Amino acid sequence: MTGHSEEEDTSQIMKQFEEKRVSFPPDEEMVSAFVESRDELREADSLTPTDIILAYIQSCEKHKVQPNPKALDQIKEITCVTDRARCLDLSGERLDYCSCESLEEILKSVQFDFISLRGAELEENGASSLLDMFLYYESATHLDVSSNSGMGFSGWLSLSHLLKQSGCLWRLDACNMPMVDYAAQALSKALLTSRLTVLHLENTRLSGKPLFTLVGALKRNGALQELYLGENNFNGYQDSMQLGDLLKYNSTLKTLDLSNNSISDSGLEEICDGLRFQKTGLRTLTLSNNQITHHGMSHLQNVLPCLKTLETLNLGKNSLENRGIHTLKESLMINRSLLQLGLASTGITCEGAVTLAEILAENLQIQRLDVRHNQMLAGGLMALSLALKINHSLIRLDLDQHLKEEKYALSAHRGVGNMLDFLLGDEDEGCNKVIGVELKYPNVKLFIIDSMKNRKELKGYRKDVCQGCGKNTIVVNLLP
């Protein structure tokens, strides 16, 4: 009897299953809301800056916030909404959640080359919302979110989605805020598939685990070409080992900036070990201000002859001294790829200048040499001027504008004058054309050589400003 009841129960259950059906309402009844496509939202031909401003003001009223005066001024300057506008600069403007939401009326109508949110005090929800808008509207090709330590988990997650999915974003600046674990993980995950080519992460406390996480992703990244990691307090041990591994396994990076860290001589050894594997990639390496001494030059000496693509090497603000330059002498003579060498503030005296002159006499492809803020006086300048009689590749030589000690002014000014004489040469000799010389020493005249080798005093000239510091310097430009 028990068995009979079980059979009946089973048959009833089966009938219930057979009777149940899944059905859907008609399509027209299912649609409760819709979002217009980006192209339809941006009816650029019919929009004017005035229309965008009115829509933005209405959005601000809806979200109960004041319109941002800085945003309004920049929208007024837009002349053509069909092309990307140059910039939307909201740096230093406090953007809470409602302020971020109200910006959508601008973003749906105009795309920008550069959007700056530096120091905008973004909160987690506001950052997440705004970054999602950037992705949906493809708002920027260059984005700066630096100095926004309150972005939180959701903000970094949205930034990760933006990096992975954007088809136009090529540069990201995310400096001056701590790279906590979830931020490092979100960024690293995005870099596995991102199209980003330039990444600035200066002063983000990357040292330690965050760097390990980042390097793990960059080893497999095939798009990034420029990486700026200055001011992260990298040490000469674990951090430098990670950087060495990055150079060993990544062959697409063209520029690596490690300035203002604490890599030291031991860390330089790790980096040089990675450089040995750079056959087709790295072109610019910046190691300025890293507590490197002349002892570390032995590691660089061994790897320089092997490098075939490195074009710019900046060792400025390290205590290399004359001994370090002497250690690098043979390798710099052999190397045939290096075009620019930065040795500013490295403790070089006239003795080091003589070594550099010997290098210039043998190295016939170097184009720029920076020796500012060193103790080179008349003797050093004379040695360099003699080398330039032989070297025809150097087109820029950066020297100090002012002397550090007044008592040497006369001899130094004579040295510069002699240097000009050597550069100009005699009419019977083959000589370089001096196309722009700026000197601040007294009683030194400026000359040019025309195509007929006539020596003429240069009455007017365009000042040359150092691209590194933005100040006027003594810059000698030569043409072969």
Side-chain angles (χ1 to χ4, degrees), residues 325-338:
I325 305 302
H326 184 74
T327 302
L328 290 177
K329 176 181 173 181
E330 295 296 332
S331 58
L332 287 173
M333 287 179 175
I334 297 172
N335 180 277
R336 288 295 178 263
S337 66
L338 202 62

Side-chain angles (χ1 to χ4, degrees), residues 82 145 152 155 201 227 357 480:
T82 58
V145 294
L201 294 175
L227 180 60

Side-chain angles (χ1 to χ4, degrees), residues 164-176:
K164 286 190 289 186
Q165 299 176 36
S166 175
C168 67
L169 187 66
W170 62 270
R171 172 174 170 174
L172 173 69
D173 296 7
C175 313
N176 307 322

